[in-house]
Short mmCIF file of all heavy atoms in Angstrom, two decimals:
data_model
loop_
_atom_site.label_atom_id
_atom_site.label_comp_id
_atom_site.label_asym_id
_atom_site.label_seq_id
_atom_site.Cartn_x
_atom_site.Cartn_y
_atom_site.Cartn_z
N GLY A 1 23.67 10.56 0.02
CA GLY A 1 24.62 9.94 -0.83
C GLY A 1 24.03 9.22 -2.01
O GLY A 1 24.68 8.49 -2.69
N ASP A 2 22.76 9.36 -2.26
CA ASP A 2 22.09 8.69 -3.34
C ASP A 2 21.25 9.66 -4.14
O ASP A 2 20.37 10.35 -3.61
CB ASP A 2 21.17 7.63 -2.71
CG ASP A 2 20.41 6.85 -3.79
OD1 ASP A 2 19.64 7.44 -4.54
OD2 ASP A 2 20.59 5.62 -3.83
N TRP A 3 21.58 9.80 -5.42
CA TRP A 3 20.93 10.78 -6.28
C TRP A 3 19.43 10.59 -6.29
O TRP A 3 18.69 11.59 -6.20
CB TRP A 3 21.53 10.59 -7.73
CG TRP A 3 21.09 11.66 -8.69
CD1 TRP A 3 19.95 11.69 -9.35
CD2 TRP A 3 21.85 12.84 -9.03
NE1 TRP A 3 19.96 12.83 -10.15
CE2 TRP A 3 21.04 13.56 -9.98
CE3 TRP A 3 23.12 13.31 -8.70
CZ2 TRP A 3 21.53 14.67 -10.59
CZ3 TRP A 3 23.51 14.39 -9.26
CH2 TRP A 3 22.68 15.13 -10.25
N HIS A 4 19.01 9.37 -6.51
CA HIS A 4 17.51 9.12 -6.67
C HIS A 4 16.76 9.35 -5.31
O HIS A 4 15.70 9.92 -5.30
CB HIS A 4 17.27 7.72 -7.13
CG HIS A 4 17.94 7.49 -8.48
ND1 HIS A 4 17.43 8.09 -9.66
CD2 HIS A 4 18.98 6.83 -8.87
CE1 HIS A 4 18.20 7.73 -10.71
NE2 HIS A 4 19.17 6.97 -10.26
N LEU A 5 17.37 8.95 -4.20
CA LEU A 5 16.77 9.15 -2.91
C LEU A 5 16.74 10.68 -2.71
O LEU A 5 15.73 11.20 -2.09
CB LEU A 5 17.58 8.46 -1.78
CG LEU A 5 17.07 8.75 -0.37
CD1 LEU A 5 15.57 8.28 -0.25
CD2 LEU A 5 17.94 7.97 0.65
N ALA A 6 17.80 11.42 -3.04
CA ALA A 6 17.79 12.87 -2.85
C ALA A 6 16.70 13.50 -3.59
O ALA A 6 15.95 14.41 -3.09
CB ALA A 6 19.11 13.48 -3.32
N GLU A 7 16.43 13.09 -4.83
CA GLU A 7 15.24 13.58 -5.58
C GLU A 7 13.98 13.27 -4.92
O GLU A 7 13.07 14.14 -4.83
CB GLU A 7 15.29 12.94 -7.04
CG GLU A 7 16.39 13.47 -7.90
CD GLU A 7 16.47 12.77 -9.25
OE1 GLU A 7 15.88 11.64 -9.40
OE2 GLU A 7 16.97 13.34 -10.21
N ASP A 8 13.82 12.11 -4.40
CA ASP A 8 12.59 11.73 -3.75
C ASP A 8 12.39 12.51 -2.45
O ASP A 8 11.31 12.95 -2.11
CB ASP A 8 12.59 10.25 -3.37
CG ASP A 8 12.54 9.31 -4.59
OD1 ASP A 8 12.17 9.81 -5.63
OD2 ASP A 8 12.79 8.09 -4.40
N LEU A 9 13.44 12.75 -1.69
CA LEU A 9 13.38 13.54 -0.48
C LEU A 9 12.95 14.98 -0.75
O LEU A 9 12.10 15.54 -0.08
CB LEU A 9 14.70 13.51 0.27
CG LEU A 9 15.12 12.15 0.91
CD1 LEU A 9 16.57 12.24 1.39
CD2 LEU A 9 14.13 11.82 2.02
N VAL A 10 13.54 15.55 -1.81
CA VAL A 10 13.19 16.93 -2.16
C VAL A 10 11.75 17.02 -2.57
O VAL A 10 11.00 17.93 -2.16
CB VAL A 10 14.13 17.43 -3.21
CG1 VAL A 10 13.62 18.80 -3.82
CG2 VAL A 10 15.48 17.63 -2.79
N GLN A 11 11.29 16.04 -3.40
CA GLN A 11 9.92 16.07 -3.83
C GLN A 11 8.98 15.96 -2.68
O GLN A 11 7.94 16.62 -2.55
CB GLN A 11 9.73 14.93 -4.88
CG GLN A 11 8.31 14.88 -5.41
CD GLN A 11 8.12 13.78 -6.42
OE1 GLN A 11 9.03 13.00 -6.68
NE2 GLN A 11 6.96 13.71 -7.03
N THR A 12 9.27 15.03 -1.72
CA THR A 12 8.45 14.84 -0.56
C THR A 12 8.40 16.07 0.29
O THR A 12 7.35 16.54 0.76
CB THR A 12 8.90 13.64 0.30
OG1 THR A 12 8.89 12.45 -0.53
CG2 THR A 12 8.08 13.39 1.49
N ALA A 13 9.60 16.69 0.51
CA ALA A 13 9.66 17.91 1.34
C ALA A 13 8.89 19.03 0.67
O ALA A 13 8.13 19.73 1.36
CB ALA A 13 11.11 18.32 1.53
N LEU A 14 9.00 19.17 -0.59
CA LEU A 14 8.28 20.30 -1.23
C LEU A 14 6.72 20.03 -1.24
O LEU A 14 5.94 20.98 -1.10
CB LEU A 14 8.75 20.48 -2.67
CG LEU A 14 10.11 21.16 -2.88
CD1 LEU A 14 10.58 21.15 -4.33
CD2 LEU A 14 10.06 22.55 -2.30
N GLY A 15 6.35 18.72 -1.29
CA GLY A 15 4.98 18.40 -1.15
C GLY A 15 4.41 18.77 0.18
O GLY A 15 3.36 19.31 0.30
N LYS A 16 5.21 18.54 1.23
CA LYS A 16 4.80 18.87 2.56
C LYS A 16 4.72 20.41 2.74
O LYS A 16 3.75 20.92 3.36
CB LYS A 16 5.74 18.34 3.64
CG LYS A 16 5.66 16.82 3.71
CD LYS A 16 6.68 16.28 4.68
CE LYS A 16 6.60 14.76 4.82
NZ LYS A 16 7.59 14.24 5.76
N VAL A 17 5.66 21.13 2.17
CA VAL A 17 5.65 22.58 2.24
C VAL A 17 4.41 23.16 1.47
O VAL A 17 3.77 24.02 1.97
CB VAL A 17 6.95 23.21 1.65
CG1 VAL A 17 6.88 24.70 1.54
CG2 VAL A 17 8.15 22.86 2.57
N TYR A 18 4.17 22.55 0.35
CA TYR A 18 3.04 23.00 -0.46
C TYR A 18 1.69 22.83 0.31
O TYR A 18 0.82 23.70 0.23
CB TYR A 18 2.95 22.30 -1.83
CG TYR A 18 1.76 22.79 -2.61
CD1 TYR A 18 1.71 24.07 -3.17
CD2 TYR A 18 0.69 21.92 -2.85
CE1 TYR A 18 0.65 24.47 -3.91
CE2 TYR A 18 -0.42 22.34 -3.58
CZ TYR A 18 -0.45 23.58 -4.12
OH TYR A 18 -1.52 24.05 -4.80
N SER A 19 1.58 21.71 0.98
CA SER A 19 0.32 21.45 1.70
C SER A 19 0.08 22.45 2.79
O SER A 19 -1.12 22.65 3.19
CB SER A 19 0.31 20.04 2.29
OG SER A 19 1.24 19.90 3.31
N SER A 20 1.12 23.15 3.22
CA SER A 20 1.01 24.19 4.31
C SER A 20 1.40 25.58 3.77
O SER A 20 1.71 26.47 4.53
CB SER A 20 1.85 23.87 5.52
OG SER A 20 1.55 22.60 6.03
N TRP A 21 1.37 25.74 2.46
CA TRP A 21 1.95 26.94 1.86
C TRP A 21 1.26 28.21 2.32
O TRP A 21 1.87 29.24 2.48
CB TRP A 21 1.88 26.88 0.33
CG TRP A 21 2.52 28.03 -0.34
CD1 TRP A 21 1.92 28.96 -1.12
CD2 TRP A 21 3.88 28.39 -0.22
NE1 TRP A 21 2.81 29.89 -1.55
CE2 TRP A 21 4.03 29.57 -1.00
CE3 TRP A 21 4.97 27.90 0.47
CZ2 TRP A 21 5.27 30.28 -1.08
CZ3 TRP A 21 6.21 28.58 0.33
CH2 TRP A 21 6.33 29.72 -0.44
N SER A 22 -0.03 28.20 2.50
CA SER A 22 -0.70 29.45 2.99
C SER A 22 -0.13 29.94 4.30
O SER A 22 -0.07 31.14 4.54
CB SER A 22 -2.23 29.19 3.04
OG SER A 22 -2.56 28.21 4.02
N ARG A 23 0.28 29.04 5.17
CA ARG A 23 0.85 29.37 6.43
C ARG A 23 2.34 29.68 6.30
O ARG A 23 2.89 30.55 6.85
CB ARG A 23 0.60 28.26 7.48
CG ARG A 23 1.14 28.57 8.84
CD ARG A 23 0.83 27.40 9.84
NE ARG A 23 1.03 26.07 9.30
CZ ARG A 23 2.19 25.47 9.30
NH1 ARG A 23 3.26 26.04 9.77
NH2 ARG A 23 2.34 24.22 8.86
N VAL A 24 3.01 28.83 5.55
CA VAL A 24 4.48 28.88 5.36
C VAL A 24 4.92 30.20 4.70
O VAL A 24 5.88 30.82 5.14
CB VAL A 24 5.02 27.72 4.51
CG1 VAL A 24 6.49 27.86 4.22
CG2 VAL A 24 4.74 26.38 5.27
N ARG A 25 4.17 30.64 3.70
CA ARG A 25 4.63 31.89 2.97
C ARG A 25 4.54 33.08 3.89
O ARG A 25 5.19 34.11 3.57
CB ARG A 25 3.81 32.09 1.75
CG ARG A 25 2.37 32.51 1.96
CD ARG A 25 1.68 32.72 0.64
NE ARG A 25 0.32 33.02 0.91
CZ ARG A 25 -0.66 32.80 0.07
NH1 ARG A 25 -0.36 32.26 -1.11
NH2 ARG A 25 -1.88 32.95 0.39
N ARG A 26 3.80 33.05 4.99
CA ARG A 26 3.74 34.22 5.87
C ARG A 26 4.78 34.13 6.95
O ARG A 26 4.93 35.14 7.69
CB ARG A 26 2.35 34.21 6.55
CG ARG A 26 1.21 34.54 5.58
CD ARG A 26 -0.10 34.75 6.29
NE ARG A 26 -0.45 33.67 7.17
CZ ARG A 26 -1.37 32.71 6.88
NH1 ARG A 26 -1.97 32.71 5.75
NH2 ARG A 26 -1.64 31.78 7.72
N THR A 27 5.58 33.10 7.01
CA THR A 27 6.66 33.00 8.01
C THR A 27 7.80 33.95 7.63
O THR A 27 7.89 34.38 6.41
CB THR A 27 7.16 31.57 8.14
OG1 THR A 27 7.80 31.18 6.90
CG2 THR A 27 6.08 30.58 8.57
N SER A 28 8.67 34.20 8.53
CA SER A 28 9.78 35.06 8.27
C SER A 28 10.81 34.45 7.25
O SER A 28 11.51 35.19 6.53
CB SER A 28 10.55 35.52 9.55
OG SER A 28 11.10 34.35 10.16
N SER A 29 10.92 33.09 7.23
CA SER A 29 11.79 32.47 6.34
C SER A 29 11.26 31.19 5.80
O SER A 29 11.53 30.15 6.40
CB SER A 29 13.14 32.24 7.02
OG SER A 29 14.11 31.62 6.17
N PRO A 30 10.46 31.24 4.75
CA PRO A 30 10.00 29.95 4.13
C PRO A 30 11.16 29.00 3.73
O PRO A 30 10.97 27.80 3.76
CB PRO A 30 9.19 30.43 2.95
CG PRO A 30 8.88 31.84 3.16
CD PRO A 30 10.02 32.38 4.00
N GLU A 31 12.24 29.58 3.36
CA GLU A 31 13.41 28.69 2.93
C GLU A 31 13.88 27.88 4.12
O GLU A 31 14.18 26.72 4.02
CB GLU A 31 14.56 29.64 2.40
CG GLU A 31 15.74 28.77 1.90
CD GLU A 31 16.79 29.69 1.34
OE1 GLU A 31 16.54 30.72 0.77
OE2 GLU A 31 18.00 29.29 1.48
N ALA A 32 14.07 28.53 5.32
CA ALA A 32 14.42 27.81 6.46
C ALA A 32 13.44 26.72 6.86
O ALA A 32 13.81 25.60 7.23
CB ALA A 32 14.66 28.75 7.66
N TYR A 33 12.20 27.00 6.69
CA TYR A 33 11.16 26.08 6.96
C TYR A 33 11.29 24.86 6.03
O TYR A 33 11.22 23.66 6.43
CB TYR A 33 9.79 26.69 6.78
CG TYR A 33 8.61 25.81 7.07
CD1 TYR A 33 8.09 25.72 8.40
CD2 TYR A 33 8.03 25.01 6.09
CE1 TYR A 33 7.01 24.90 8.65
CE2 TYR A 33 6.93 24.20 6.36
CZ TYR A 33 6.42 24.10 7.63
OH TYR A 33 5.46 23.26 7.90
N ALA A 34 11.53 25.10 4.72
CA ALA A 34 11.68 24.03 3.75
C ALA A 34 12.87 23.20 4.07
O ALA A 34 12.85 21.92 4.00
CB ALA A 34 11.78 24.61 2.34
N HIS A 35 14.00 23.80 4.48
CA HIS A 35 15.16 23.05 4.85
C HIS A 35 14.90 22.19 6.11
O HIS A 35 15.38 21.05 6.19
CB HIS A 35 16.36 23.95 5.14
CG HIS A 35 17.17 24.21 3.92
ND1 HIS A 35 16.99 25.27 3.08
CD2 HIS A 35 18.17 23.51 3.35
CE1 HIS A 35 17.80 25.21 2.07
NE2 HIS A 35 18.59 24.12 2.19
N THR A 36 14.15 22.71 7.05
CA THR A 36 13.83 21.96 8.26
C THR A 36 12.93 20.72 7.82
O THR A 36 13.13 19.59 8.28
CB THR A 36 13.06 22.81 9.27
OG1 THR A 36 13.90 23.85 9.62
CG2 THR A 36 12.64 21.99 10.48
N VAL A 37 11.97 20.94 6.97
CA VAL A 37 11.11 19.83 6.49
C VAL A 37 11.96 18.78 5.79
O VAL A 37 11.81 17.61 5.99
CB VAL A 37 10.02 20.36 5.55
CG1 VAL A 37 9.29 19.27 4.90
CG2 VAL A 37 9.05 21.24 6.39
N LEU A 38 12.92 19.25 4.98
CA LEU A 38 13.76 18.31 4.25
C LEU A 38 14.57 17.41 5.21
O LEU A 38 14.66 16.21 5.13
CB LEU A 38 14.74 19.01 3.30
CG LEU A 38 15.77 18.14 2.61
CD1 LEU A 38 15.06 17.23 1.62
CD2 LEU A 38 16.80 19.03 1.93
N MET A 39 15.22 18.05 6.23
CA MET A 39 16.06 17.31 7.17
C MET A 39 15.17 16.36 7.98
O MET A 39 15.58 15.22 8.20
CB MET A 39 16.78 18.30 8.11
CG MET A 39 17.72 19.24 7.41
SD MET A 39 18.97 18.35 6.44
CE MET A 39 19.97 17.64 7.67
N ARG A 40 14.01 16.79 8.42
CA ARG A 40 13.17 15.88 9.15
C ARG A 40 12.61 14.75 8.32
O ARG A 40 12.43 13.67 8.73
CB ARG A 40 12.03 16.67 9.83
CG ARG A 40 12.58 17.58 10.93
CD ARG A 40 11.53 18.31 11.64
NE ARG A 40 12.21 19.12 12.65
CZ ARG A 40 11.60 20.11 13.29
NH1 ARG A 40 10.39 20.42 13.09
NH2 ARG A 40 12.28 20.79 14.19
N THR A 41 12.36 15.00 7.04
CA THR A 41 11.97 13.91 6.10
C THR A 41 13.03 12.93 5.93
O THR A 41 12.81 11.72 5.97
CB THR A 41 11.58 14.57 4.70
OG1 THR A 41 10.48 15.47 4.88
CG2 THR A 41 11.10 13.53 3.74
N TYR A 42 14.26 13.41 5.81
CA TYR A 42 15.43 12.46 5.69
C TYR A 42 15.63 11.61 6.97
O TYR A 42 15.76 10.39 6.88
CB TYR A 42 16.73 13.20 5.37
CG TYR A 42 17.91 12.33 5.40
CD1 TYR A 42 18.07 11.36 4.42
CD2 TYR A 42 18.83 12.33 6.41
CE1 TYR A 42 19.15 10.54 4.39
CE2 TYR A 42 19.96 11.48 6.50
CZ TYR A 42 20.09 10.56 5.42
OH TYR A 42 21.18 9.68 5.45
N ILE A 43 15.58 12.31 8.09
CA ILE A 43 15.69 11.55 9.32
C ILE A 43 14.59 10.54 9.52
O ILE A 43 14.86 9.38 9.94
CB ILE A 43 15.77 12.53 10.56
CG1 ILE A 43 17.14 13.31 10.48
CG2 ILE A 43 15.61 11.80 11.85
CD1 ILE A 43 17.17 14.53 11.44
N SER A 44 13.44 10.90 9.19
CA SER A 44 12.26 9.97 9.22
C SER A 44 12.41 8.84 8.29
O SER A 44 12.21 7.69 8.63
CB SER A 44 10.98 10.73 8.94
OG SER A 44 9.89 9.85 8.89
N HIS A 45 12.90 9.11 7.15
CA HIS A 45 13.18 8.04 6.14
C HIS A 45 14.16 7.07 6.70
O HIS A 45 14.06 5.87 6.52
CB HIS A 45 13.66 8.65 4.79
CG HIS A 45 14.17 7.62 3.82
ND1 HIS A 45 13.29 6.87 3.07
CD2 HIS A 45 15.42 7.20 3.56
CE1 HIS A 45 14.02 6.02 2.31
NE2 HIS A 45 15.28 6.16 2.65
N ARG A 46 15.24 7.55 7.26
CA ARG A 46 16.32 6.70 7.79
C ARG A 46 15.75 5.81 8.93
O ARG A 46 16.14 4.67 9.07
CB ARG A 46 17.52 7.46 8.23
CG ARG A 46 18.28 8.11 7.10
CD ARG A 46 18.94 7.19 6.23
NE ARG A 46 19.97 6.54 7.04
CZ ARG A 46 20.64 5.56 6.59
NH1 ARG A 46 20.53 5.05 5.36
NH2 ARG A 46 21.55 4.91 7.34
N ARG A 47 14.90 6.42 9.78
CA ARG A 47 14.41 5.67 10.88
C ARG A 47 13.51 4.53 10.42
O ARG A 47 13.46 3.42 10.94
CB ARG A 47 13.53 6.59 11.79
CG ARG A 47 14.38 7.25 12.84
CD ARG A 47 13.40 7.89 13.86
NE ARG A 47 14.10 8.99 14.40
CZ ARG A 47 13.66 10.26 14.35
NH1 ARG A 47 12.47 10.54 13.93
NH2 ARG A 47 14.32 11.22 14.87
#
């Protein structure tokens, strides 16, 4: 519900995906992996 927090969450999630990109790009669905990272980043942020 917050524009700036959403930008930060996306940036953090993409940073995490990039750090594992050599492994992630070989998965069947890198997009699903990125969404999972985003959701877990948000949940972690709220906690």
Side-chain angles (χ1 to χ4, degrees):
D2 180 297
W3 188 279
H4 300 290
L5 177 58
E7 288 175 337
D8 292 345
L9 290 169
V10 170
Q11 183 176 5
T12 301
L14 287 174
K16 290 177 180 180
V17 170
Y18 179 70
S19 69
S20 303
W21 185 243
S22 61
R23 181 177 45 84
V24 172
R25 72 174 174 210
R26 292 188 306 259
T27 64
S28 61
S29 181
E31 182 178 328
Y33 183 89
H35 270 91
T36 300
V37 169
L38 175 69
M39 296 307 287
R40 290 182 180 167
T41 300
Y42 173 71
I43 290 169
S44 175
H45 170 79
R46 293 292 297 175
R47 271 193 210 124

